[in-house]
């Protein structure tokens, strides 16, 4: 009996240590934004709602770093800091007033979002060297968002700019992935994640070419909602 108990206890302790390890994880994702319709409300004579239909921000590089722990054989939890690399993106839009009048133009902006989340994952298989690791995950947190460089252009001499804006929003994410445990320390994984970092509003003024800024009755609102296709690398500490 003793000969059986000793290796059994050793196996249990080894198993417990395997899933109680803390880890760090670095990941890169391609974050894809949905096309969206934007608008501002202009005050004063001749004012009204100005629409920018069909703006496509495209995609951005999304980097993240996390510290986590496997708190049971099937469940892990982590704190993650993520930053989508920002760039000014220009897109063709249809500029109109909501009525019969509309004209083709371009709209551009630059959006930033620094994201801090607490994530949890459920692993469907035993995590061991040389094994696959399918999982689902979800997370909640906050996003520090900003928007700048907003400009609508109809012709080189007929354009308008909108004041920058920023704000902090509640955010959430969920997704699924498939990992591969290279050895007891290293894991790589592929994932697909839906991320909703809330919205960010512009400032409350806009200016045309060579004109003074005018107040807006309705700020421009940009949605920070993406589908992320990611590659991650984890190292057990």
């Amino acid at each position: 009996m003793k000969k059986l108990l000793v290796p059994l206890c050793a196996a249990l302790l080894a198993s417990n240590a395997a899933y109680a390890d803390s880890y760090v994880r670095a990941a890169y994702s391609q974050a894809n934004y949905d096309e969206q319709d934007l608008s501002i409300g202009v005050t004063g004579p001749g004012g009204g709602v100005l629409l920018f239909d069909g703006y496509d921000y495209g995609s951005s590089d999304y980097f993240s770093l996390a510290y986590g722990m496997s708190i049971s054989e099937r469940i892990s939890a982590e704190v993650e800091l993520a930053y989508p690399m920002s760039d000014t993106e220009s897109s063709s839009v249809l500029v109109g007033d909501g009525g019969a009048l509309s004209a083709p133009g371009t709209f551009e902006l630059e959006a930033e979002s620094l994201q801090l989340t607490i994530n949890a994952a459920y692993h469907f298989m035993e995590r061991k060297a040389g094994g696959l690791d399918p999982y689902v995950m979800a997370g909640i947190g906050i996003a520090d968002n900003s928007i700048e460089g907003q400009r609508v252009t109809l012709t080189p001499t007929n354009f308008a700019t909108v004041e920058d804006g920023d704000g902090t929003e509640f955010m959430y994410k969920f997704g699924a992935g498939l990992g591969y445990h290279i050895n007891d320390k290293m894991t790589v994984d592929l994932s697909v994640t839906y991320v909703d970092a809330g919205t960010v509003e512009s400032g409350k003024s806009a200016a045309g070419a060579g004109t003074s800024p005018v107040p807006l009755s309705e700020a421009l609102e940009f949605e920070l909602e993406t589908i992320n296709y990611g590659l991650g690398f984890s190292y057990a500490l």
Side-chain angles (χ1 to χ4, degrees), residues 148-172:
E148 59 185 41
Q150 302 149 91
R151 172 175 168 141
V152 57
T153 303
L154 294 176
T155 68
T157 57
N158 186 10
F159 62 87
T161 58
V162 182
E163 183 184 4
D164 300 344
D166 56 50
T168 301
E169 293 274 308
F170 169 80
M171 68 166 292
Y172 65 93

Side-chain angles (χ1 to χ4, degrees), residues 25-33 57-66 78 80-87 111-119 137 139-145 171-174 191-198 224-233:
R25 180 177 184 269
Y28 165 79
S29 301
Q30 188 74 25
N32 296 287
Y33 292 79
Y57 192 70
S59 61
S60 65
D61 297 321
Y62 188 100
F63 297 93
S64 65
L65 185 65
E78 65 184 26
E80 180 185 43
L81 182 66
Y83 179 68
M85 297 294 290
S86 61
D87 198 5
E112 293 188 352
S113 180
L114 183 63
Q115 303 168 3
L116 180 65
T117 57
I118 298 174
N119 308 324
M137 62 78 62
I140 58 173
I142 56 173
D144 185 22
N145 303 325
M171 68 166 292
Y172 65 93
K173 60 172 65 176
F174 58 86
S191 62
V192 179
T193 310
Y194 170 81
V195 180
D196 188 339
L224 293 157
E225 183 179 349
T226 62
I227 301 292
N228 294 5
Y229 301 93
L231 171 66
F233 176 80

Side-chain angles (χ1 to χ4, degrees), residues 100-124:
L101 297 177
S102 63
T106 61
F107 187 82
E108 63 184 50
L109 61 79
E110 181 178 352
E112 293 188 352
S113 180
L114 183 63
Q115 303 168 3
L116 180 65
T117 57
I118 298 174
N119 308 324
Y122 180 82
H123 304 263
F124 291 96

Side-chain angles (χ1 to χ4, degrees), residues 37-44 47-52 150 162-163 200-206 214-222:
D37 297 332
L38 307 173
S39 66
I40 56 173
V42 183
T43 61
V49 176
L50 192 60
L51 306 175
F52 316 122
Q150 302 149 91
V162 182
E163 183 184 4
V200 58
E201 290 188 352
S202 70
K204 291 290 188 176
S205 67
V214 297
L216 299 178
S217 59
E218 176 187 324
L220 184 142
E221 187 175 278
F222 182 69

Side-chain angles (χ1 to χ4, degrees), residues 128-132 180-183:
K128 60 183 179 180
L132 295 177
Y180 174 72
H181 299 291
I182 301 171
N183 53 40

